[in-house]
Amino acid sequence: MSKEIKIALLMAASLFMDVMDGTIVTTALPKMAQTFNVSAATASLLVSTYMIAVAVFIPLSGWLAQRYGKKNIWLWAVVLFTLSSFGSAVAPNFTVLLIMRIVQGIAGAMMTPTARLMVLEKTPADQLLKMISYLVWPSLMAPAVAPVIGGMFVTYFTWHWIFLINLPIGLLAFLIGVRLLPRDDQQQPRPFDVRGFVELALASMALLTGAEMLARTGVVVWYGLIMVVIGIVLGVNVYQHLRRSEHPLFSVATMKVPTFRVSQTGGTLFQVTIASLPYVLTVLLQTVFGWSAARAGWYVIFIFIGNIGIKPFTNPIIRRLGFRGALIASFLMLILSSFGLALVRPHTTAIAIMFLALVSGVGRSLAFTSYNGLQFTDVAPMHRNGANTLTAVTQSLGQGLGISLITVIIHIFRHGMTLQGAYAWGFVVLGIFAIVPMIEVMLLPKNAGEAAIN
C-alpha cells in the first residue's frame, strides 16, 4: 500500500469521526434531556450549535492551513476534537455539555477541509477518482450507521458512550498522523480577510439559526423566516466580496468551471437530501410506527449496506457511464426509493423497507463519489485550496439545513393530514429534490470530467 493511500485512509478515519459525531447525538437527545432535566427543544441545541460552529469556522481552515501548515492544523484539530469529546462525556451540567459541543464543532471545522486538502491538493487529475473513493466513505457511512450505534448505546448502555467512542479513534489517528504525514511546504501566507470571515460567519449563523427556528412552532417561525432572508442577503453580499477582493478568505473563481459549479449548486441540494432521508426514516419508524431506537436503527442500516455494497463498483460504473451517466442513474435510484418510502406503512413487510433503504444507499454512494470526483477534475492544483474550502462550506450548509428544512416541510403537511401522511409527503419532497440536480447534470456534456476517468 502506497504512502498516499495510507494518508487518504487516515484522513478518512478523521472524517468519519467528525461526520458521525454530527449525527449520532440525535438518537440520544431524549436521554440527555432527561439526564439534565431540560426540554426537548433545549436539548436540540446540542445538534444545531455543533452545525453552526462547523459552518462558521470552516472558512478559516484554508487560510490557517496555508499560514501554519496542513499537518499542524490537522493534528491540533484531532487533539481538540478528542478532548472535547471527553469533556462532553463527563460534563456535569447542560451548559458545559453545550460548550463542549461548540468546541467539537470548531475542531471539526478545522479537521475536515484540511484532511481533504492534504489528499487532493497535489493529486493529478487522472488519480482524483481513485483518491476520492477513499475519502467519500465516511460521509456515506456515518449518517447511516450513527442511528444504529447511537440506538444501541442509548438502549443498552448510556448516552455518554456516543462521545467516549471518539477517544481511541482520535488518539490512534493522532499517533499515526505524527509519523505518517509529511512536513508542509513553505508557503507565503496571504493577508487575513476579516470582512469576508465576519460576513460569511454571520450569513451561516443566520441561515442555520433561521432554519432551526422554522422547524419549531409558534411566533418563533416568523423570526426564523426573517433570519433566513437575512442569511440569503448576507450570502449574496459575501459572494460578491469574495469575487472582487484582492485577498479573499478563499477564492470563488472556480465557480466559472462548469464541472465544479454543478457540484456546488445541485450538489448542495443533494447534500440536503442525503442528510434528511436517514433522519426522516428513523423518526418515522420510531414516532409513527412506535419502534425502539435500536429496532429502527437496524432498518436504517440498510442504507449503509447499500453505500458499502456498491462501493467496489462505483469507479467501474463511472468509467463505463461517465460522470454524467453515473449521476443520472444515481438520481433515478434516489427518486424511486424516496417515492417508494412514501408508501411505507406499519404493515409493510420488513423486506420491502430494507430493499428501499438499500436502493437509496446505492444511489447515495454512486452520486457522492461522482460529485466528489467530478468537481476537481478541471480545477488547477493551485486553485484547489479555495475550491476545497468553498466545497466544505456548501456541504456543511447543505447538511446543516437538510434536517431543519425537511422538518419544516413535514410540519406544513401536518396541518392538513395525519402524521403518517405528513411523513409520506416528506419523502415525496425528498424525491423531488433529487430531480432538480439531475436536470442540471443532464445539461453537462457527455464527456464532462473525462480527464479523471481516462
Side-chain angles (χ1 to χ4, degrees):
M1 185 184 297
S2 68
K3 184 176 181 179
E4 289 75 17
I5 292 178
K6 291 179 181 178
I7 291 175
L9 291 173
L10 176 62
M11 296 302 102
S14 69
L15 295 179
F16 177 81
M17 182 170 63
D18 175 42
V19 176
M20 184 175 71
D21 218 75
T23 53
I24 195 173
V25 173
T26 304
T27 57
L29 288 180
K31 291 291 185 180
M32 290 178 173
Q34 184 179 359
T35 299
F36 295 109
N37 194 27
V38 297
S39 66
T42 301
S44 68
L45 290 173
L46 296 171
V47 177
S48 57
T49 53
Y50 180 91
M51 292 295 184
I52 290 172
V54 170
V56 167
F57 286 93
I58 270 181
L60 269 177
S61 61
W63 184 85
L64 288 173
Q66 187 182 52
R67 177 69 177 81
Y68 298 103
K70 297 183 291 294
K71 178 179 180 178
N72 291 331
I73 294 301
W74 183 84
L75 289 174
W76 279 110
V78 170
V79 169
L80 189 60
F81 193 92
T82 305
L83 291 177
S84 57
S85 295
F86 178 74
S88 297
V90 300
N93 54 58
F94 185 79
T95 301
V96 173
L97 177 58
L98 191 61
I99 293 172
M100 289 296 102
R101 284 290 288 171
I102 294 172
V103 175
Q104 272 190 315
I106 295 172
M110 298 297 102
M111 184 166 58
T112 301
T114 308
R116 290 171 56 88
L117 188 61
M118 279 196 284
V119 176
L120 301 178
E121 187 174 39
K122 296 181 180 179
T123 301
D126 60 353
Q127 294 294 311
L128 274 173
L129 189 58
K130 176 183 177 182
M131 301 309 293
I132 282 290
S133 66
Y134 294 105
L135 290 178
V136 298
W137 66 264
S139 295
L140 293 169
M141 286 175 57
V145 302
V148 179
I149 297 175
M152 291 179 65
F153 283 154
V154 171
T155 303
Y156 303 113
F157 301 101
T158 68
W159 61 262
H160 305 80
W161 284 95
I162 67 175
F163 298 114
L164 292 174
I165 193 176
N166 291 331
L167 302 188
I169 301 175
L171 178 60
L172 187 61
F174 176 81
L175 294 175
I176 295 174
V178 169
R179 300 189 61 182
L180 181 64
L181 298 178
R183 290 174 178 265
D184 288 296
D185 297 332
Q186 292 294 325
Q187 293 184 348
Q188 184 66 33
R190 63 182 184 273
F192 181 60
D193 181 13
V194 177
R195 176 186 168 184
F197 173 70
V198 172
E199 289 183 349
L200 188 55
L202 291 174
S204 301
M205 290 177 64
L207 282 171
L208 293 175
T209 303
E212 178 69 18
M213 289 180 175
L214 285 172
R216 302 177 188 272
T217 56
V219 69
V220 74
V221 171
W222 291 106
Y223 291 116
L225 184 60
I226 293 172
M227 291 290 285
V228 169
V229 172
I230 291 173
I232 294 172
V233 172
L234 287 173
V236 173
N237 182 67
V238 74
Y239 178 78
Q240 294 299 327
H241 165 74
L242 294 173
R243 190 168 62 87
R244 297 169 181 170
S245 176
E246 184 179 355
H247 299 289
L249 185 63
F250 57 88
S251 174
V252 294
T254 46
M255 285 296 288
K256 298 177 182 178
V257 180
T259 50
F260 180 78
R261 186 172 59 247
V262 298
S263 71
Q264 305 306 301
T265 50
T268 300
L269 192 55
F270 167 69
Q271 292 291 334
V272 170
T273 304
I274 66 171
S276 303
L277 197 142
Y279 167 78
V280 176
L281 181 57
T282 302
V283 177
L284 170 72
L285 298 179
Q286 293 184 53
T287 304
V288 180
F289 291 8
W291 294 359
S292 68
R295 183 184 178 189
W298 283 113
Y299 281 75
V300 177
I301 201 174
F302 274 84
I303 297 176
F304 155 72
I305 294 174
N307 289 340
I308 299 304
I310 195 63
K311 199 72 194 70
F313 308 102
T314 52
N315 286 6
I317 290 173
I318 292 171
R319 290 192 172 94
R320 174 79 177 181
L321 300 179
F323 282 111
R324 194 183 79 155
L327 281 167
I328 291 173
S330 64
F331 284 129
L332 287 173
M333 285 185 277
L334 287 170
I335 293 166
L336 293 175
S337 60
S338 296
F339 288 169
L341 287 169
L343 303 176
V344 167
R345 298 292 183 269
H347 60 267
T348 303
T349 59
I351 191 68
I353 301 175
M354 294 174 181
F355 175 75
L356 290 170
L358 183 77
V359 172
S360 174
V362 171
R364 285 157 51 95
S365 182
L366 183 56
F368 206 85
T369 303
S370 299
Y371 264 133
N372 279 274
L374 177 66
Q375 63 184 350
F376 292 114
T377 54
D378 299 323
V379 175
M382 67 183 70
H383 294 141
R384 286 181 188 169
N385 188 320
N388 178 67
T389 304
L390 179 57
T391 297
V393 170
T394 55
Q395 287 187 355
S396 174
L397 287 174
Q399 292 172 2
L401 291 171
I403 293 177
S404 295
L405 181 60
I406 196 62
T407 302
V408 171
I409 291 169
I410 291 173
H411 276 328
I412 293 172
F413 285 125
R414 182 71 181 89
H415 289 297
M417 60 185 67
T418 64
L419 183 60
Q420 181 171 291
Y423 275 94
W425 278 102
F427 281 116
V428 171
V429 170
L430 290 179
I432 294 172
F433 279 174
I435 294 175
V436 177
M438 183 176 72
I439 294 173
E440 181 184 44
V441 166
M442 292 174 69
L443 298 177
L444 286 174
K446 288 185 178 180
N447 63 346
E450 63 180 357
I453 57 180
N454 287 340

